[in-house]
Amino acid sequence: MIPFNRPPRTGLEDKYILEAINSDKMSGDGRFSNLCEAWFEKNMATRRALLTPSCTQALEMAAILIGIEPGDEVIMPSYTFVSTANAFVLRGAKIVFVDIDPATMNIDAQLIDGAITSRTKAIVPVHYAGVACDMGAVMEIAAKNGLWVVEDAAQAMGTVHSDKHLGTIGHLGAFSFHETKNYTSGGEGGLLLVNDPELVERAEIIREKGTNRRAFFKGQVDKYTWVDVGSSYLPSEIQAAYLWGQLEAYNSIAQDRIKTWNFYRKALSENATHGLGLPPEHEARDHNAHMFFVKTSSFEERTRLIRHLSDQGVMGVFHYVPLHTAPAGLRFGRFHGRDIYTTSESSKLVRLPLWYGMSNAVRSKVVDAVCSFAS
């Protein structure tokens, strides 16, 4: 069976993990944490990069930083992972879901304005499959209404939009290094980009359990103490060491994934796919080849395609169940306007295997399996 995913390995991770284990600093903010954070700050041109144990915790930090309180409303798509909503629900927010653009599966920016009320505090665009939302429109709406923008860029490491990396356009950006992502820090991991300079100092405090411990180690205070709310949002040095082994091969991983994505797009475009929808073509930097999906004509056809792929030795998988249809979504949120595309489009989508180091033989087998179903 060709698996849906294989966590990326570059061959450098073992060496760096061993170095971290043998160091005097394993609890985070050591050599490898500093190397990774400096890499992101330089290459993504952000004010401050802070590693976290997961993207979930990066989003939770963001919710604290922008002052989410009970009664606030946060606008986001329903087609996303539960952490996007949970981070803000934990602070007492009501989630307001809006419909998606069926071409990209991203939030339809044209629907955000109508969902804003006097209680709206933030917009959380999700860059599905590493493809950008209409961030120009999102930022314009946010500026007009005095709202925060937190980019859920969990899948979008490396995508550039209007000459800026995704995650650096909003006030805050959150990334995932889960084993299913383009880059991983050993199975789990995350990153918070702090793009608003006024939030940097507090972000460092929140990550250190609400203490000014970081200022103490910088020599800015003579002792550290509890000064704010916070939690344990600091990853281990072992996670950072694994991630550094990936960042040193950043371009190699990116180019390899793009090669597979382009192979799928070209091969499936040239073969008769009898109504299976393909993702839009993208310019080189407009996506990061995080995911390649096809769309069927119905839920029933999707079920048949997944079964057929399995019979052919290929693991194809569907994705999110829309949050507004889930028990917690009904309890903690509401859908604004009509659900024209979110539910219907999500019921047709099938993700194909895509990982770093796929051979041409494996790519061809996946394409052949899809084409044999279509024919």
Side-chain angles (χ1 to χ4, degrees), residues 17-310:
I17 287 173
L18 188 59
E19 287 183 25
I21 291 172
N22 291 324
S23 73
D24 295 327
K25 182 69 173 172
M26 288 182 61
S27 62
D29 266 350
R31 172 173 171 254
F32 290 108
S33 293
N34 292 335
L35 283 170
C36 290
E37 291 176 356
W39 190 95
F40 289 117
E41 288 167 8
K42 176 183 177 181
N43 289 282
M44 302 183 75
T46 185
R47 178 70 62 167
R48 186 73 173 94
L50 295 169
L51 293 182
T52 59
S54 69
C55 184
T56 298
Q57 289 165 303
L59 289 165
E60 289 175 7
M61 281 185 64
I64 297 172
L65 274 168
I66 64 174
I68 295 295
E69 298 176 344
D72 288 340
E73 293 182 351
V74 178
I75 297 171
M76 65 180 66
S78 173
Y79 190 66
T80 185
F81 189 55
V82 296
S83 295
T84 313
N86 257 338
F88 300 92
V89 169
L90 281 169
R91 311 305 303 174
K94 184 82 168 181
I95 308 301
V96 179
F97 300 111
V98 298
D99 211 1
I100 58 172
D101 175 348
T104 63
M105 306 298 286
N106 285 330
I107 191 170
D108 186 339
Q110 303 307 312
L111 300 176
I112 294 174
D113 229 349
I116 294 172
T117 71
S118 60
R119 297 182 296 278
T120 306
K121 190 74 166 279
I123 306 168
V124 185
V126 180
H127 303 301
Y128 186 72
V131 176
C133 298
D134 184 353
M135 288 304 295
V138 170
M139 296 307 294
E140 183 178 340
I141 293 167
K144 182 176 68 176
N145 293 278
L147 305 177
W148 294 100
V149 175
V150 178
E151 292 179 75
D152 184 336
Q155 302 175 5
M157 181 61 67
T159 303
V160 176
H161 177 67
S162 300
D163 294 324
K164 286 188 173 184
H165 279 268
L166 293 184
T168 69
I169 302 171
H171 302 95
L172 297 159
F175 293 85
S176 172
F177 301 126
H178 185 266
E179 66 176 26
T180 58
K181 301 303 188 290
N182 296 26
Y183 307 90
T184 181
S185 54
E188 284 283 357
L191 174 72
L192 180 68
L193 297 187
V194 185
N195 307 312
D196 186 331
E198 295 186 5
L199 298 178
V200 170
E201 182 178 356
R202 188 166 185 237
E204 292 179 345
I205 290 170
I206 289 168
R207 191 175 68 149
E208 281 282 12
K209 299 105 177 152
T211 73
N212 56 355
R213 184 169 180 265
R214 189 172 185 87
F216 169 72
F217 283 116
K218 289 180 179 178
Q220 296 170 347
V221 294
D222 58 0
K223 59 183 178 181
Y224 72 87
T225 186
W226 182 21
V227 296
D228 202 344
V229 297
S231 190
S232 187
Y233 293 128
L234 191 68
S236 78
E237 197 63 9
I238 293 174
Q239 279 185 287
Y242 195 105
L243 180 60
W244 183 244
Q246 306 254 302
L247 294 180
E248 286 207 323
Y250 179 85
N251 289 330
S252 174
I253 293 173
Q255 291 163 10
D256 184 83
R257 293 186 69 100
I258 288 288
K259 184 177 180 180
T260 298
W261 198 97
N262 288 340
F263 182 95
Y264 283 162
R265 189 65 172 72
K266 184 174 187 294
L268 291 174
S269 297
E270 292 174 351
N271 285 276
T273 52
H274 296 283
L276 288 180
L278 301 180
E281 291 191 83
H282 303 290
E283 295 298 324
R285 296 202 306 169
D286 288 349
H287 76 124
N288 63 353
H290 172 65
M291 182 194 308
F292 193 96
F293 59 80
V294 297
K295 286 185 183 178
T296 60
S297 61
S298 66
F299 171 82
E300 291 75 19
E301 187 180 35
R302 182 183 79 174
T303 302
R304 291 195 298 272
L305 173 57
I306 291 174
R307 186 182 303 120
H308 174 83
L309 292 175
S310 179

